[in-house]
Structures are given as C-alpha cells and as structure tokens.
C-alpha cells in the first residue's frame, strides 16, 4: 500500500481547520446580523437551579427546549426549534412526540395552544417555510394557518380563539390572528419581541429583547409603554397567583419577579438559558431551559411547619400524629395492660 504524503495530510488538516473556522464565523454572523433569533448553544452542564421556597428538579430532558404551555388535558407542550419536534409531556414526565414538522431548516418557535379548538400552533421564521404560523390539529394534521408575519416567534391566545404572535424583527409588532387566519397588527413599538402573555384583566405584556424591557400594550392595541426594565435578554413571561410577573433572563440564567408597580428582583438562579415558563393548576412552575436541554419543575415547599404534639410509644415503636395541645404518652406493659400519661 502506498504511503500517504505528509504534505498532503498537513494541507488537508489545515484546510479542514480553515473550513471549520469559516463555518463558525458565518454561523455567528448569521445570528448577529441577519435579524433572526438564535436557536441557542449546545446543551451545557447544568448550574444547579435554585428558587427560594421551591424544590427544583428535572421534569424532562428535551434538547433545546424553547417554550412551555399546558393543553386542556394537563400535558405540557414544548418544542425543539432545531428539529421541529413538538413534544407532549404527561404529568408523570412521560414524553411523547405530538408532531414532527417538515423542513427542519425552517427555524421554529412556540408552541402555542388554543383551548377552544385544541389546536397547537408553531411559528416558522427561516428559509423556505419562513414567516408562517403552522397549525397542528388534535389528530396531528399540519397545515399553514397564517403567513406574512415577519420573523414570528412565541405566541399566546386570548381565550376566545384569537392568537397573538410576537415578531423578532426590529422594529417589531405583536400581531393578532383570528380563528380563520386573518392577520392584523395589534401592538407596535417593540424591537425583537418575545413571550407575549395576557394577565387576568386582559392586558397584554411582551418582552423587548433589544431594550431588555417588558412592555405593556393598551387594551385596544396600539403603541406599547414600558412596564419594567433592567432584564438580561428577556424571553418568557408568566403570572403567579398573586399577580406577580415572572420573567426569564435568557442571557444570565436567572428568573426575575416583578410586582404590580413594575419593581423587579431576582427570583431564581442557576439556569443556563431559560427561555419560557408557566405554572400548572396546583402552583408548580415549569421552566424551559434551552441551553441545558431540560424542562425543570419547581414545586413549592410546604409552608406549614409540623404540628405534631402527640407522642405514642407502643412495644418500642415511636410514632407521631398531628393533634392539638395535649401530649400523650402510652405504653403496653408485659402483662398486656395499658399505661399512659396525659399532659
């Protein structure tokens, strides 16, 4: 067998290295200059998420998890934006594929869910299938629901069948899409919009990733105003039962909490790239961490301290039960009789 030329090997090695450098440069250039949302870096080592008053655990491993929303059956919906795979996760953590979308080069965001129709919605913002909203019916049929929204990203619904879609363009708007797919502009004055959500009073909030603010739209639509500022690439919003707004800071791996006056503070730390979050009906918080490739579940700690005041001793077994203010000690004697003391 003829020996390979060392010179040829070295040239090939150098050319391969140059090709890899060029590819990396063009990918970074495309994300930074071409005005499209980054799909995120590869999953990294997790930094031990921490939220005071909650126990944080891994709920499911989902590569590049982008969004989280519950369907009417209590299943959590999320999305891998690279592959176009939509996942449905049961309350016990079992993961199922709800849909595999076509054109994996499209770049996907979402998902959204309409509780009236049961449809899942996903936005497509790149290449051949760009600037479209796709509809996935309960039986898995995929079709184009709406088009013409520049760089559509995340979305929400208003409870009566209308879809509200954020645009990653700059300047950007929030677009309203009716149940029959008609598109109109609802809110203006944003740049790199993301994470729209309604509060219980019907007010629409959205992230402005360019200015690191959360914006508020008028009830009738129109130009947005600043509700809160000082975030670090905010991408996802949700409200707790007290009406506080939670915000994912996708760049520094934290979650902020904002009160009704727009005053914010850090609520959770140790995430990688938290992109979206939502509560379930019992107050558990679910966070999609794109960089970690996980869905985290934050379960509230029991705020009620133990109230056991009864001590029972029976044949060497020690048990406690919750009662009022009496302390009872009871024992079984060798002859079978009972002895006790009440204090």
């Amino acid at each position: 067998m003829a020996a390979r030329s060392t010179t040829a090997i070295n040239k090939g090695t150098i050319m391969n290295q140059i090709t890899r450098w060029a590819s990396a440069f063009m990918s970074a250039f495309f994300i930074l200059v071409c005005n499209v949302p980054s799909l995120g870096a590869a999953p990294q080592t997790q930094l031990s998420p921490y939220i005071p008053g909650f126990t944080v655990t891994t709920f499911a491993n989902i590569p590049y998890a982008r969004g989280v929303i519950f369907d009417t059956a209590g299943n959590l919906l999320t999305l891998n934006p690279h592959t176009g795979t939509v996942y449905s996760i049961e309350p016990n953590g079992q993961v199922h594929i709800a849909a595999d979308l076509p054109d994996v080069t499209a770049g996907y965001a979402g998902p959204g869910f309409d509780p009236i129709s049961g449809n899942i919605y996903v936005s497509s913002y790149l290449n051949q299938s760009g600037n479209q909203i796709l509809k996935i019916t309960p039986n898995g049929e995929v079709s184009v629901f709406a088009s013409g929204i520049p760089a559509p990203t995340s979305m929400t619904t208003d409870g009566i069948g209308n879809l509200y879609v954020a645009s990653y363009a700059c300047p950007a708007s929030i677009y309203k899409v009716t149940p029959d797919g008609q598109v109109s502009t609802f809110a203006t004055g944003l740049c790199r919009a993301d994470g729209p959500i309604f509060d219980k009073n019907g007010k629409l909030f959205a992230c402005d990733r360019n200015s690191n603010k959360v914006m508020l739209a008028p009830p009738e639509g129109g130009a947005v105003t600043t509700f809160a500022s000082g975030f670090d690439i905010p991408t996802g919003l949700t409200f707790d039962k007290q009406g506080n707004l939670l915000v994912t800071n996708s760049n520094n791996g934290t979650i902020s909490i904002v009160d009704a006056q727009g005053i914010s503070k850090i609520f959770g730390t140790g995430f990688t790239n938290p992109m979206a979050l939502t509560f379930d009906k019992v107050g558990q918080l679910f966070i999609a961490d794109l960089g970690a490739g996980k869905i985290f579940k934050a379960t509230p700690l029991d705020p009620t301290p133990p109230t056991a005041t009864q001590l029972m001793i029976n044949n060497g077994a020690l048990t406690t039960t919750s009662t009022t203010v009496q302390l009872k000690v009871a024992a079984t004697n060798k002859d079978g009789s009972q002895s006790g003391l009440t204090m």
Side-chain angles (χ1 to χ4, degrees), residues 25-284:
F25 173 79
M26 290 305 296
S27 295
F29 180 83
F30 182 70
I31 289 171
L32 293 174
V33 178
C34 295
N35 296 331
V36 296
S38 169
L39 296 180
Q44 306 169 16
T45 302
Q46 191 50 42
L47 304 175
S48 299
Y50 172 71
I51 301 176
F54 290 78
T55 299
V56 182
T57 57
T58 297
F59 179 61
N61 293 302
I62 303 294
Y64 306 99
R66 176 63 172 88
V68 279
I69 191 170
F70 282 97
D71 64 15
T72 50
N75 301 307
L76 187 69
L77 303 175
T78 189
L79 169 74
N80 180 333
H82 284 289
T83 63
T85 306
V86 181
Y87 297 93
S88 174
I89 310 173
E90 296 181 29
N92 62 6
Q94 285 287 331
V95 179
H96 305 276
I97 294 177
D100 271 321
L101 301 176
D103 187 8
V104 294
T105 64
Y108 294 106
F113 180 77
D114 176 25
I116 297 176
S117 63
N119 294 326
I120 300 171
Y121 295 96
V122 174
S123 62
S124 168
Y125 53 84
L126 292 176
N127 298 335
Q128 296 96 329
S129 300
N131 299 342
Q132 294 180 342
I133 305 299
L134 304 180
K135 178 176 70 175
I136 307 167
T137 63
N139 62 7
E141 295 180 359
V142 180
S143 61
V144 176
F145 174 62
S147 59
I149 298 174
T153 56
S154 52
M155 61 200 73
T156 191
T157 59
D158 60 5
I160 56 175
N162 298 307
L163 192 66
Y164 293 77
V165 183
S167 166
Y168 193 73
C170 188
S173 299
I174 304 294
Y175 294 87
K176 177 181 178 181
V177 188
T178 60
D180 60 354
Q182 297 297 310
V183 178
S184 61
T185 301
F186 180 75
T188 60
L190 300 105
C191 178
R192 311 280 188 257
D194 212 342
I197 189 172
F198 285 96
D199 70 2
K200 62 182 179 181
N201 298 315
K203 297 179 181 178
L204 181 67
F205 296 76
C207 300
D208 189 307
R209 296 173 59 159
N210 186 67
S211 65
N212 288 319
K213 296 178 179 180
V214 172
M215 312 302 285
L216 173 62
E220 69 281 2
V224 299
T225 56
T226 299
F227 173 69
S229 59
F231 305 102
D232 195 352
I233 315 298
T235 53
L237 304 174
T238 195
F239 285 95
D240 65 14
K241 292 182 179 179
Q242 290 73 41
N244 299 307
L245 182 66
L246 274 63
V247 185
T248 56
N249 296 293
S250 64
N251 193 53
N252 66 14
T254 65
I255 297 171
S256 297
I257 187 168
V258 189
D259 64 18
Q261 286 71 46
I263 306 300
S264 68
K265 61 182 179 181
I266 296 299
F267 178 71
T269 60
F271 298 91
T272 305
N273 302 116
M275 297 297 293
L277 70 177
T278 191
F279 283 96
D280 67 6
K281 293 181 180 179
V282 298
Q284 297 181 117

